[in-house]
Amino acid sequence: MTCRTGPGPDLPEGRRTAHTDAAFTALLEDSAEELYESAPCGYLSTLMDGTVAKINTTLLNWLGLTRDDVVGRLRFTDLLTVGGRIYHDTHFAPLLRMQGGVNGIALDIRQADGGRLPVLISSVTKTDHDGRPLLIRTTVFDASDRRAYEQELLRERQVAEEARRRAEEDRQRLQEALAVLQSSLLPAQLPQVPGMEAASHYHTASPDRLGGDFYDLFPLDDRRWAFFLGDVCGKGPQAAAVTSLTRYTLRAAALHNPDPVAALTTLNTVLHERYATGDPRYCTAVFGVLEPEGDTVTVELASGGHPPALVLRQDGPTEYLPTPGGLLVGIMPSAPFTSARTVLGAGDTLLLYTDGLTEARTGEKRELFGDEALLDFATTLTDTAPRQVVTAMTGLLNSFGDGLDDDTALLALGVPMTDPTPASDT
Amino acid sequence: MSPLTTTVHNTGTGPLLRIAGELDYSTAPELRELVTGLPLEPGQRLVLDLAHLGFCDSSGITAFIVARNHALAHDADITLLAAPGPVLRVLRVTGLDQVFSLAPGQDARTERAADG
């Protein structure tokens, strides 16, 4: 036989067609019966009560049964698994009765060896001339490949779902860890200082980025209290590590020698030694000591590169307490720090803040809010008690909206107007 | 917002880096990378020209410190040239005016000629 991949150029059209027809006839010599028996799907005819009247070889092979086992002896539902039988009775059969046909229902059939074969079943009801149902014709398609594919899809979805759940859990854990770390950088709540009132606020620019601002207020002995507030350069875990080191260094230094310049000098030595090489890590800080004397409190503080504290007087001008010349803490082996002193009377408040407040950008031209605008704003405040000052400043911060993209810490320390006992500090 | 633009000029005494635009949390890393890649010989002077720096926050200040550390590591000096008022104010608050050598802007005539 000559092998051709296409019709020969020398073969006339009519002869080519006859040639093809002959080839088809040779291939399709099998009868309709042969097609029925060995079709690539199962065929099944059942009486209206479900008794199997006719079944093809393909389906018998799948079932692992002989024709004699089945025809006239079993019903269609006997071929199904228990679950398949229930589904057949509750859904398949009613639908078939109502519609006269059901298409592509997924069921499992039982095999003689105990296995089960996933199949897709379609049935139509054959009726007589008067429309009375005579029998049910059913085709059965092997759906094991398709089912395996579906199960694979399902499995992959479960894996993806599990991964998503894990990621969510990890995120949650990380968030909790960040919150714990962040809270270790700040006092949970300010202590009650006898004869004084204290208030604070921390504005977090981003919940995902640990902030570098910090403050603290703690007793030195039974009479004096120490406080500090500052800002570590940068953000994130590295900044938080510096913040932590700074907070505990200042606390320890204060107990050793509460002189403000000495405390900042110790911090400078520690930070410079720790971060001498690589990424520069430094902070700005104000450290101070409160010493109550009668109805007043003397404040002795020192600043290292930090914006000046603001003093709000009950019956006097609001003004900055300048600390010029103090250097950023940690960038030089030894650094100058500038001290200042003031006395707070009844109704006076000392406000410490970080530069998120003065570096906020306002207006259409997004200009820095600045220390003059802050002084102007503070001057308008009629109630100079610490809590009221912090509330007003928090309102100011909120008014900046997205002009404020840095963390900001506020710490206000003041002498109450009236009865200067701890009980009044509510 | 105007982004950060930087241009490097080589002068007889060392590199002159003109910094224009805004120096903040998002642009400062760019300057830090640029400045630490500048070649410096011992005895040279790195000059950061800030005349056209519109905005500078604490991230920018850190970048200046990185530049200073880079200069010192190569036995070179650093000068901040023509720092605008707000930047000068931050330098004073942070005490850095004592650490950096600050030079006022060249007089307006020279400045314009340089900008061509």
Side-chain angles (χ1 to χ4, degrees):
Chain A
M1 189 178 173
T2 311
C3 285
R4 290 187 192 279
T5 53
D10 53 347
L11 223 52
E13 182 67 25
R15 280 201 52 198
R16 239 186 297 167
T17 310
H19 183 81
T20 315
D21 285 352
F24 281 174
T25 308
L27 278 172
L28 299 175
E29 64 187 358
D30 50 344
S31 62
E33 189 61 25
E34 160 71 11
L35 173 63
Y36 177 83
E37 287 299 340
S38 49
C41 65
Y43 285 123
L44 184 72
S45 301
T46 50
L47 304 181
M48 293 316 293
D49 68 355
T51 307
V52 177
K54 194 176 177 191
I55 183 168
N56 77 342
T57 309
T58 304
L59 184 51
L60 284 171
N61 287 342
W62 289 348
L63 289 166
L65 297 173
T66 66
R67 202 171 303 274
D68 291 344
D69 292 334
V70 180
V71 173
R73 301 175 72 100
L74 294 182
R75 298 178 183 220
F76 174 53
T77 50
D78 296 329
L79 309 179
L80 302 176
T81 57
V82 176
R85 211 173 301 159
I86 293 170
Y87 189 82
H88 176 274
D89 292 349
T90 55
H91 292 83
F92 192 93
L95 264 179
L96 184 58
R97 266 199 305 278
M98 275 192 330
Q99 302 176 350
V102 178
N103 214 352
I105 301 295
L107 291 172
D108 286 355
I109 56 174
R110 287 194 301 159
Q111 295 172 302
D113 63 4
R116 51 170 58 197
L117 180 70
V119 291
L120 287 176
I121 290 182
S122 298
S123 292
V124 289
T125 307
K126 186 190 178 191
T127 54
D128 62 15
H129 290 299
D130 301 325
R132 275 179 304 215
L134 293 177
L135 54 86
I136 298 164
R137 286 169 171 160
T138 298
T139 56
V140 181
F141 284 92
D142 180 350
S144 46
D145 286 350
R146 176 182 162 141
R147 193 72 61 87
Y149 175 64
E150 283 170 355
Q151 270 163 359
E152 180 64 16
L153 282 183
L154 192 66
R155 204 184 57 77
E156 278 175 12
R157 203 175 82 180
Q158 281 164 344
V159 167
E161 186 65 23
E162 173 66 15
R164 198 195 58 76
R165 201 183 54 73
R166 271 234 192 80
E168 178 61 27
E169 270 178 16
D170 288 351
R171 203 189 59 79
Q172 188 73 30
R173 247 200 312 275
L174 189 62
Q175 205 78 50
E176 282 165 15
L178 286 180
V180 169
L181 275 179
Q182 179 88 63
S183 67
S184 80
L185 306 179
L186 297 170
Q189 65 185 90
L190 292 176
Q192 297 251 327
V193 183
M196 290 198 78
E197 187 184 316
S200 64
H201 174 72
Y202 195 99
H203 168 87
T204 306
S206 160
D208 293 337
R209 289 207 306 244
L210 285 172
D213 289 3
F214 59 90
Y215 60 82
D216 208 349
L217 175 62
F218 54 98
L220 285 174
D221 48 40
D222 52 9
R223 211 164 46 85
R224 294 178 304 167
W225 290 69
F227 63 88
F228 57 79
L229 175 140
D231 182 359
V232 164
C233 74
K235 291 185 175 63
Q238 291 88 351
V242 183
T243 309
S244 183
L245 178 61
T246 297
R247 182 180 184 199
Y248 296 107
T249 299
L250 280 178
R251 270 198 168 235
L255 294 178
H256 181 66
N257 179 0
D259 172 64
V261 170
L264 289 182
T265 302
T266 300
L267 177 62
N268 185 73
T269 306
V270 169
L271 285 186
H272 186 262
E273 188 276 326
R274 171 68 182 77
Y275 297 101
T277 55
D279 208 13
R281 291 285 167 191
Y282 58 85
C283 72
T284 71
V286 171
F287 179 97
V289 174
L290 304 168
E291 188 160 0
E293 283 168 355
D295 292 345
T296 63
V297 173
T298 301
V299 182
E300 184 98 41
L301 59 75
S303 165
H306 197 84
L310 199 56
V311 183
L312 297 91
R313 303 278 181 201
Q314 163 62 24
D315 54 0
T318 294
E319 56 195 4
Y320 283 110
L321 182 61
T323 41
L327 184 65
L328 291 178
V329 189
I331 64 160
M332 301 280 278
S334 68
F337 298 114
T338 307
S339 61
R341 190 170 184 277
T342 191
V343 176
L344 300 177
D348 295 349
T349 289
L350 176 80
L351 175 69
L352 303 164
Y353 55 91
T354 55
D355 62 6
L357 179 57
T358 44
E359 282 195 353
R361 307 180 73 172
T362 60
E364 272 183 20
K365 295 171 80 180
R366 296 182 60 77
E367 285 171 341
L368 291 186
F369 181 65
D371 44 12
E372 277 161 33
L374 175 62
L375 183 62
D376 290 346
F377 178 82
T379 303
T380 64
L381 300 180
T382 49
D383 192 340
T384 56
R387 207 150 294 156
Q388 278 65 31
V389 170
V390 166
T391 302
M393 293 293 166
T394 305
L396 177 64
L397 288 174
N398 292 338
S399 74
F400 292 142
D402 64 2
L404 177 63
D405 66 353
D406 199 3
D407 282 18
T408 307
L410 302 172
L411 176 63
L413 306 165
V415 181
M417 276 293 281
T418 49
D419 184 22
T421 61
S424 72
D425 190 347
T426 52
Chain B
M1 267 187 280
S2 58
L4 186 73
T5 55
T6 48
T7 48
V8 183
H9 306 264
N10 284 309
T11 71
T13 55
L16 167 71
L17 181 59
R18 288 188 198 278
I19 304 166
E22 308 208 334
L23 202 46
D24 60 16
Y25 187 72
S26 61
T27 58
E30 189 184 324
L31 176 62
R32 289 173 60 160
E33 196 173 327
L34 174 73
V35 87
T36 49
L38 287 177
L40 280 171
E41 301 292 328
Q44 281 193 325
R45 179 172 292 273
L46 168 63
V47 179
L48 305 185
D49 182 350
L50 311 180
H52 299 282
L53 186 60
F55 177 85
C56 176
D57 71 4
S58 48
S59 313
I61 298 295
T62 306
F64 297 157
I65 294 173
V66 168
R68 179 176 178 273
N69 291 348
H70 177 65
L72 295 189
H74 291 81
D75 295 319
D77 286 321
I78 183 167
T79 294
L80 301 184
L81 180 68
V87 178
L88 263 186
R89 194 181 308 190
V90 175
L91 292 174
R92 276 197 209 103
V93 168
T94 52
L96 290 173
D97 55 340
Q98 312 156 68
V99 172
F100 284 94
S101 106
L102 300 175
Q106 297 156 338
D107 68 58
R109 201 161 20 90
T110 325
E111 188 74 25
R112 257 181 244 119
D115 283 353

